[in-house]
Amino acid sequence: MNAILHAAFHAIGIIILIYFFLINGFYFLFTILSLVGIFHHRNLSTYVSFKEVFRLPLIKPISIIATAYNEEVTIIESVRSLLSLEYPNYEVIVVNDGSTDRTLDNLITIFRLQKSKRVFRKVVDHKPVKGIYASPSFPKLIVIDKVNGRKADALNAGLNVSRYPLFCAVDADSLLEKSALLKIVRPFLEDPERTIAAGGIIRLSNGCTFKDGQLSQVRMPRNFLARFQVIEYFRAFLGGRIGLSMLKSLLIISGAFGLFRKDVALQCGGYRTGTIGEDLDLIVRMRRHLHNMRKPFEVRFIPDPICWTEAPETLRSLSRQRNRWHRGLLDTIRYNRIMLFNPRYGVTGLFALPFYFVFEMLGPLIELAGYVTFLVCMILGQVNTPFALLFFLLAVVLGTLLSLLAVLIEEYSSHRYPRLRDILIIALFSLLENVIYRQWLSIVRVLAFFDFAKGKQEWGAMEKKGFARPAET
Amino acid sequence: MNPPLIITIHGLLFLLLFSLSLIAFIVIRRLVIERQQVRFKRLYGQIERDVLEAISLLNQDFTLKVANRHKSHHRVLTQVLLDFGDIIVGEGRDQLRIIFNSVLKDRCLSHLASPWTTKRLQSIRLFIIFFDPSENTQLHRLLDDKPIVKLAVISALARIPSPETMRYVFKAFEEDTGTTVRSYLNIMFSLGNRIEPLVKAHLKKPLSAEKLGLLVELAGAIPLRSLYEEINALAGHPDKEIRIKVARTLGKLLLPESVQTLVSLAADATWEVQAQAVKSLGKLRDRDTLDILTGSLFSPFWYVRYNAGYGLCELGEEGIRRLKKVAAQKEDRYARDMSVMVLNDLIYSSEAA
């Protein structure tokens, strides 16, 4: 019996070990590719300044769709920021998704909105629209007031009302930098036929100060949870997505800031309202559609258009957010399971989706299984304690190294944290992140499996502080 | 100690060392850059003052003195010239050119052969601003470089729009494939009306639909009205995208004789062409097209109705009268709603004005 147990634990140990080396190997590869990508991108920006993009004769107009649900704290600042972007031709469509607070009232008062008789094509389905508002003083702005149907539904309403061939999906609680549109539109100018989506970088606004809808000072947040998330975002966007984009395997363009070709999105039926991971789901379905049509396409990640968003600062909000993200991933992979390991879907079916399936979806389960196995083995006295401890340390240091490489990429790219102190804090938290925080997140994500099995569709509200102004800090 | 333990210890030590070196590198790099930035700012301020004085005095000797005074700070001087070169024209730029020629030109020429793309691109950028036709050959060497470098060179060549340069640009456009093709549009656009004979010749060549479409769009963007015949001849092109672009370009050329073509495109089999043709008809403001635009308001396609509505708006009082009439009818609610929306928008824009 003891021998069988020993053999079983040995086999589990080997599987976890292989998994550990594979996942870290992939992340290391993405990070190295990201470094190469950043240098290439720097070369490009040396040659073409973004003001030149502004003067291009055939620049395409963009519809910005911002969805808002109970965003009374941030909505005005966000819309102001959207209205002051540098781009020759764009419209801002704010979709009030049945807010129960003063979101719509604030918009009506501040932007002097009046009810409009605008008509639109109902190409994709969504919950009924209660009214469309326009403002004589802000002709770029349109506000849709609709019955609550969640984010995907609100985005579909925005898609129907939008007039332009490209649409930019943003969260109403986020702020775009002035030049963000000019930068993100670039792949659509270079390769308009093949580029179907492009994503920019999301950064956390916690700790930063804003003035007139624009960022005025970048600082590390004081909240420890927000600090951990700063590092996570660095790793995900700078260390991961540039690399995945270079491997033509990018499956997610963040819902907080992404630019898409409207015709392709509409051909796929717009956003799928039954899902809560609408950003990932749309890209996967767009890829699936174009693979089916046998049309070449590109999904690009551009590292310098920046969108600032507020991160949750309490364990409760953060666990809700991560639980939701993981349920979204589970749902998308289940919905598109036909693509998994299917050569018909090229790199998406053979690498990108399997990667997300094995390492992102099953990752927390395997990680947790590793910890549980370790504990059981320890109780049964089957553990080589020095080896286990050293291996745990190795995992922590490897995780830290990956985070530090992402910090290095940040230093070579936008270099947004001006104080050396902030960089040192990031380095310290890169180490701390791997102890307790990481394990806690794994548990949260494992719990998402149960919630998903129960069919939980809850979004989970997040307490917002709003964007801090200089006087408030 | 067993082998796995030894491997783990070695791995851990290696990773620890690597991580620590990385932190050290990041911190040292940051400190060095910060010091460099302070020095750069100070020098930039000094050079900026001197260069501005040279630009205002327009005295060649003084300008040469400024160049010699700062020749050891070529990096900062390069940046000043890049910043000012883009915004200063005429005699002021001549003074900048004097500084460039006396201090930076040789370095710049050597950087054109640098193995670092960034250095090559920076040098080309300087050439773009202070281009001298005699350096053509220096730049021609780079026409076989990476696409991005090649494009930069072509941009530089396009600063002096000699017939030879323009032929170069069009030859490269004809030969290139892939993602860089659209970038030529920007270069050609900057050359303005003088490219008309070359566009004309290329519109008759058997180019790919993408390139042909780009040339058609270019004719509208500049605009090249003398190419009307060539553009018009493409109205019957089998590719839908080309017909859309022809309709759009005709709307930009604003030639009364294009009405007939646009009217026939408004009856095209595809709604995308119809929508673009109706939009262009609106821009032409020809009262004879009132019936066609009004009829298009009853189209089953939303974009056709939308463009027809705003097209009628462009036609002034009579157009608005027609819109009101459609808004009052009850047979077609889609046409009515569109007319109401356009009229509503009209009220808003007049309020805003």
Side-chain angles (χ1 to χ4, degrees):
Chain A
M1 183 67 185
N2 210 7
I4 295 170
L5 261 179
H6 185 80
F9 285 127
H10 186 71
I12 293 172
I14 299 251
I15 291 168
I16 290 169
L17 211 64
I18 292 171
Y19 178 84
F20 171 82
F21 284 114
L22 271 178
I23 192 169
N24 283 298
F26 274 121
Y27 284 136
F28 202 75
L29 170 76
F30 298 154
T31 312
I32 299 301
L33 282 174
S34 297
L35 259 172
V36 175
I38 280 290
F39 284 121
H40 178 71
H41 190 80
R42 267 171 32 137
N43 282 346
L44 275 174
S45 3
T46 319
Y47 167 55
V48 187
S49 81
F50 294 103
K51 285 188 182 113
E52 284 168 28
V53 177
F54 197 86
R55 292 196 297 261
L56 282 172
L58 296 180
I59 195 158
K60 285 188 176 176
I62 294 174
S63 300
I64 298 175
I65 306 174
T67 54
Y69 176 73
N70 289 349
E71 307 279 4
E72 63 177 9
V73 185
T74 53
I75 192 72
I76 301 301
E77 203 81 9
S78 296
V79 174
R80 274 200 186 122
S81 133
L82 293 175
L83 289 171
S84 62
L85 294 176
E86 287 173 348
Y87 199 77
N89 193 4
Y90 72 98
E91 63 179 356
V92 178
I93 300 169
V94 179
V95 189
N96 175 44
D97 191 28
S99 298
T100 49
D101 65 356
R102 290 189 50 80
T103 304
L104 183 66
D105 298 334
N106 287 356
L107 282 167
I108 290 174
T109 315
I110 301 292
F111 296 104
R112 294 188 289 281
L113 297 173
Q114 295 173 14
K115 248 200 166 148
S116 158
K117 296 207 166 100
R118 198 180 172 101
V119 284
F120 57 89
R121 291 190 311 156
K122 202 166 178 183
V123 185
V124 282
D125 245 2
H126 55 77
K127 289 267 165 72
V129 168
K130 293 194 270 186
I132 298 181
Y133 297 83
S135 165
S137 321
F138 300 90
K140 277 183 200 163
L141 178 66
I142 295 150
V143 175
I144 305 169
D145 181 30
K146 66 177 275 292
V147 174
N148 179 263
R150 285 212 230 115
K151 194 175 170 188
D153 191 73
L155 283 164
N156 278 345
L159 261 175
N160 281 338
V161 173
S162 67
R163 290 182 299 176
Y164 297 138
L166 298 177
F167 75 94
C168 177
V170 296
D171 280 346
D173 60 349
S174 306
L175 284 183
L176 296 187
E177 291 204 342
K178 260 187 186 317
S179 59
L181 279 187
L182 280 178
K183 288 174 178 170
I184 202 171
V185 80
R186 199 168 182 158
F188 291 90
L189 297 174
E190 287 168 1
D191 195 356
E193 301 303 319
R194 284 191 301 178
T195 310
I196 56 163
I201 195 161
I202 310 293
R203 288 180 178 241
L204 299 186
S205 61
N206 307 51
C208 304
T209 44
F210 293 83
K211 198 180 168 191
D212 301 326
Q214 285 301 316
L215 180 82
S216 61
Q217 194 179 51
V218 181
R219 290 281 182 269
M220 270 301 271
R222 283 174 187 277
N223 180 283
F224 279 24
L225 273 183
R227 283 181 178 179
F228 287 135
Q229 290 173 78
V230 167
I231 296 156
E232 274 188 296
Y233 276 61
F234 268 4
R235 224 176 27 235
F237 285 92
L238 293 168
R241 292 198 190 170
I242 307 175
L244 278 165
S245 168
M246 287 171 83
L247 290 171
K248 300 190 184 302
S249 302
L250 190 62
L251 285 194
I252 183 159
I253 297 287
S254 171
F257 180 39
L259 188 62
F260 306 84
R261 239 174 70 187
K262 193 165 91 177
D263 58 339
V264 182
L266 289 178
Q267 281 163 23
C268 302
Y271 287 90
R272 192 160 60 89
T273 46
T275 186
I276 43 170
E278 76 299 321
D279 41 7
L280 171 71
D281 184 78
L282 179 69
I283 295 292
V284 176
R285 282 188 302 111
M286 279 168 110
R287 280 177 169 269
R288 184 173 169 178
H289 170 72
L290 291 165
H291 275 300
N292 283 335
M293 305 284 287
R294 305 236 176 268
K295 279 189 181 167
F297 63 87
E298 286 266 5
V299 178
R300 299 269 300 272
F301 178 78
I302 314 288
D304 50 4
I306 298 177
C307 170
W308 295 88
T309 195
E310 197 183 330
E313 291 193 346
T314 60
L315 283 172
R316 193 178 146 83
S317 315
L318 182 63
S319 66
R320 270 186 193 166
Q321 185 197 53
R322 296 310 162 94
N323 182 298
R324 191 182 76 229
W325 286 3
H326 210 72
R327 276 185 284 135
L329 175 67
L330 285 163
D331 182 50
T332 302
I333 290 183
R334 187 185 66 168
Y335 188 80
N336 297 289
R337 59 188 177 276
I338 193 168
M339 295 172 79
L340 267 175
F341 305 105
N342 188 341
R344 180 189 162 90
Y345 296 101
V347 71
T348 316
L350 292 177
F351 175 69
L353 209 59
F355 176 82
Y356 275 79
F357 173 67
V358 177
F359 297 112
E360 295 289 335
M361 192 184 108
L362 299 179
L365 271 180
I366 296 172
E367 203 174 319
L368 211 66
Y371 297 129
V372 171
T373 312
F374 173 71
L375 284 175
V376 173
C377 286
M378 223 165 77
I379 293 163
L380 297 176
Q382 302 249 2
V383 170
N384 176 350
T385 314
F387 175 76
L389 279 174
L390 277 172
F391 191 76
F392 178 71
L393 271 177
L394 184 107
V396 168
V397 176
L398 193 57
T400 310
L401 179 65
L402 284 170
S403 302
L404 288 174
L405 282 169
V407 175
L408 181 74
I409 299 173
E410 150 70 10
E411 286 290 282
Y412 275 110
S413 56
S414 45
H415 189 73
R416 281 308 164 110
Y417 289 89
R419 296 189 307 178
L420 184 62
R421 204 180 116 186
D422 289 336
I423 294 296
L424 291 173
I425 291 173
I426 293 173
L428 176 68
F429 275 77
S430 300
L431 184 75
L432 296 179
E433 185 210 0
N434 290 286
V435 192
I436 301 175
Y437 177 75
R438 188 192 168 113
Q439 289 75 19
W440 175 74
L441 270 189
S442 291
I443 295 170
V444 167
R445 287 162 74 195
V446 168
L447 291 176
F449 279 91
F450 296 105
D451 289 337
F452 181 70
K454 280 191 268 178
K456 187 177 171 184
Q457 286 281 314
E458 185 191 301
W459 189 266
M462 183 183 121
E463 304 87 43
K464 300 272 168 60
K465 284 186 175 174
F467 299 108
R469 290 182 185 83
E472 294 172 6
T473 55
Chain B
M1 278 203 288
N2 54 9
L5 200 65
I6 295 168
I7 295 171
T8 314
I9 291 171
H10 279 95
L12 180 64
L13 285 175
F14 170 74
L15 289 176
L16 258 175
L17 215 65
F18 193 0
S19 301
L20 288 172
S21 320
L22 197 58
I23 295 177
F25 175 73
I26 292 170
V27 171
I28 293 168
R29 183 182 173 273
R30 176 60 86 95
L31 289 172
V32 169
I33 285 177
E34 273 174 9
R35 285 196 64 169
Q36 277 178 347
Q37 275 173 346
V38 171
R39 190 167 168 266
F40 188 93
K41 256 187 188 167
R42 184 172 48 80
L43 282 171
Y44 190 97
Q46 284 171 10
I47 297 176
E48 188 183 35
R49 261 197 313 277
D50 287 352
V51 167
L52 281 173
E53 204 174 341
I55 289 170
S56 53
L57 286 175
L58 299 176
N59 178 332
Q60 193 171 339
D61 294 334
F62 180 80
T63 308
L64 278 171
K65 265 188 205 163
V66 169
N68 285 324
R69 195 180 304 151
H70 299 295
K71 70 178 173 192
S72 54
H73 310 303
H74 52 85
R75 206 166 68 90
V76 191
L77 191 58
T78 302
Q79 194 54 53
V80 174
L81 289 193
L82 281 173
D83 293 348
F84 282 93
D86 266 341
I87 45 174
I88 287 170
V89 288
E91 286 182 282
R93 187 179 281 183
D94 290 342
Q95 303 306 309
L96 298 179
R97 191 172 284 124
I98 291 169
I99 299 173
F100 173 72
N101 286 334
S102 64
V103 183
L104 295 174
K105 193 173 154 187
D106 290 340
R107 176 176 287 272
C108 200
L109 284 173
S110 68
H111 280 178
L112 283 178
S114 162
W116 301 103
T117 315
T118 318
K119 275 195 176 175
R120 295 206 297 282
L121 284 169
Q122 263 172 358
S123 309
I124 294 164
R125 196 160 171 80
L126 275 171
F127 270 103
I128 289 175
I129 299 168
F130 305 111
F131 187 75
D132 180 345
S134 63
E135 264 106 38
N136 254 357
T137 47
Q138 302 285 350
L139 292 176
H140 286 174
R141 283 190 293 130
L142 293 169
L143 278 169
D144 296 322
D145 209 310
K146 290 178 180 178
I148 181 73
V149 179
K150 185 177 170 181
L151 263 174
V153 172
I154 289 170
S155 290
L157 291 173
R159 302 284 288 209
I160 308 289
S162 68
E164 192 202 352
T165 308
M166 290 194 289
R167 266 199 301 279
Y168 240 125
V169 174
F170 275 83
K171 189 169 166 271
F173 169 72
E174 210 178 321
E175 286 169 358
D176 261 14
T177 50
T179 56
T180 49
V181 167
R182 278 187 84 87
S183 310
Y184 287 99
L185 193 73
N186 200 27
I187 296 164
M188 291 173 178
F189 181 72
S190 69
L191 290 165
N193 280 314
R194 41 178 96 80
I195 59 166
E196 185 254 305
L198 283 161
V199 177
K200 191 172 193 161
H202 278 76
L203 280 173
K204 288 172 186 161
K205 286 188 178 181
L207 294 173
S208 67
E210 186 195 6
K211 288 183 182 176
L212 197 62
L214 282 176
L215 290 178
V216 172
E217 295 240 46
L218 184 70
I222 291 179
L224 301 169
R225 292 199 170 81
S226 54
L227 295 182
Y228 166 71
E229 290 296 331
E230 284 74 17
I231 304 286
N232 206 34
L234 291 169
H237 199 279
D239 191 313
K240 176 183 84 179
E241 290 300 319
I242 300 282
R243 297 203 300 281
I244 294 172
K245 283 167 183 165
V246 167
R248 190 180 299 138
T249 298
L250 290 177
K252 286 178 179 169
L253 295 181
L254 294 176
L255 293 166
E257 53 267 41
S258 54
V259 168
Q260 272 318 307
T261 312
L262 285 172
V263 168
S264 61
L265 285 174
D268 194 276
T270 58
W271 69 265
E272 293 98 326
V273 181
Q274 286 175 28
Q276 191 53 59
V278 166
K279 189 174 182 178
S280 296
L281 279 174
K283 285 184 181 166
L284 280 166
R285 296 181 182 176
D286 187 328
R287 288 173 66 87
D288 292 343
T289 60
L290 270 167
D291 288 339
I292 291 159
L293 290 175
T294 314
S296 299
L297 263 176
F298 294 88
S299 162
F301 302 105
W302 189 90
Y303 278 108
V304 179
R305 295 200 298 276
Y306 181 87
N307 287 345
Y310 284 98
L312 281 169
C313 247
E314 300 269 356
L315 281 156
E317 260 181 56
E318 183 55 25
I320 292 166
R321 205 179 60 78
R322 297 275 183 118
L323 278 169
K324 282 181 182 166
K325 209 171 153 188
V326 178
Q329 56 85 34
K330 286 191 177 130
E331 287 80 48
D332 188 332
R333 71 169 257 251
Y334 295 106
R336 184 188 65 213
D337 287 353
M338 186 59 77
S339 308
V340 170
M341 179 183 94
V342 174
L343 289 168
N344 199 260
D345 246 20
L346 206 64
I347 296 166
Y348 279 166
S349 29
S350 46
E351 261 184 53

